[in-house]
């Protein structure tokens, strides 16, 4: 009951905001297939209704209660361009492969950098639809970049409606150099280098672990 109340409280705050901005954010996405990350089924349903109110038929919703066969068909329709906005409640995160999605919309805050990274990661996957001719040699960084640039998805976009990008940073030097450390250690190392600007990142990571 407490979780349900929390979801409705969030919806009461977020829905009027997104409904008021809908004439702006729906066209802003252009034709990009967009995954909208929400918290709570009611929130996901409301966002689909908002988008469909601006452009009928452009959005559908998926949640944990969606039957597997219906979910698979939704993903197929999304990939085929049958609709543009896929609103979801904690479904399109880890383990869901939707490389054709070009944009992710953050419509629910999270304190977890892991959750934020998973939500963002759904749109970071490149399309691999082009034939492997010599210009697109996947064994080289330049070849991979050329293949991405020539695909239907040369870039991706993240829309942040709740300020998550101010709290979380997807990649920092602490993440690059601290891949073997825990999230807590990397966060502490970032704080250390902010306070002690003369300290290098590797030293800060070692100190943070201690």
């Amino acid at each position: 009951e407490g979780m349900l109340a929390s979801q409705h409280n969030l919806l009461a705050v977020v829905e009027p905001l997104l409904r008021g901005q809908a004439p702006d954010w729906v066209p802003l996405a252009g034709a990009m297939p967009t995954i909208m990350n929400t918290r709570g089924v009611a929130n996901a349903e409301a966002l689909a209704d908002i988008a469909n109110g601006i452009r009928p038929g452009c959005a559908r919703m998926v949640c944990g209660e969606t039957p597997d066969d219906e979910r698979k068909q939704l993903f197929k329709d999304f990939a085929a361009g049958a609709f543009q906005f896929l609103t979801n409640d904690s479904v399109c995160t880890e383990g869901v492969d939707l490389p054709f999605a070009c944009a992710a919309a953050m419509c629910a805050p999270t304190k977890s950098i892991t959750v934020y990274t998973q939500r963002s990661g759904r749109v970071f996957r490149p399309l691999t639809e082009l034939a492997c001719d010599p210009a697109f040699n996947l064994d080289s960084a330049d070849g991979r970049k050329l293949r991405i640039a020539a695909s239907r998805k040369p870039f991706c976009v993240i829309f942040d409606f709740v300020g998550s990008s101010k709290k979380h940073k997807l990649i920092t030097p602490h993440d690059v150099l601290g891949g073997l450390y825990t999230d807590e250690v990397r966060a502490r190392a970032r704080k250390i280098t902010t306070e002690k600007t003369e300290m290098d990142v590797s030293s800060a990571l070692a100190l943070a672990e201690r």
Side-chain angles (χ1 to χ4, degrees), residues 39-185:
R39 188 171 68 192
V41 176
N43 201 339
E45 291 176 338
L47 289 178
D49 289 342
I50 291 171
N52 287 325
I54 299 295
R55 191 186 300 154
C58 73
R60 296 184 193 174
M61 186 276 288
V62 64
C63 67
E65 299 174 0
T66 305
D68 288 344
D69 55 345
E70 183 179 341
R71 183 183 303 187
K72 290 178 181 177
Q73 188 59 51
L74 274 171
F75 289 162
K76 287 181 180 179
D77 291 345
F78 187 43
F83 61 97
Q84 180 181 356
F85 298 98
L86 179 63
T87 70
N88 81 102
D89 171 34
S90 302
V91 171
C92 300
T93 52
E94 184 179 12
V96 174
D97 190 20
L98 302 170
F100 41 83
C102 298
M106 305 301 173
C107 305
T110 177
K111 295 181 179 180
S112 170
I113 180 62
T114 300
V115 171
Y116 182 70
T117 302
Q118 288 173 346
R119 289 173 175 175
S120 303
R122 296 317 94 204
V123 297
F124 285 152
R125 299 187 181 188
L127 286 175
T128 55
E129 58 190 4
L130 298 174
C132 289
D133 62 40
F136 301 135
N137 178 14
L138 298 185
D139 292 330
S140 72
D142 289 340
R144 292 191 293 271
K145 290 177 182 178
L146 283 172
R147 185 167 179 174
I148 292 171
S151 74
R152 288 181 297 144
K153 181 184 171 182
F155 60 87
C156 66
V157 176
I158 295 178
F159 298 108
D160 181 12
F161 295 107
V162 290
S164 292
S165 58
K166 293 182 179 179
K167 179 178 179 61
H168 302 302
K169 302 299 180 185
L170 291 176
I171 294 294
T172 69
H174 305 78
D175 299 311
V176 175
L177 298 177
L180 299 180
Y181 294 94
T182 65
D183 290 346
E184 182 182 2
V185 169

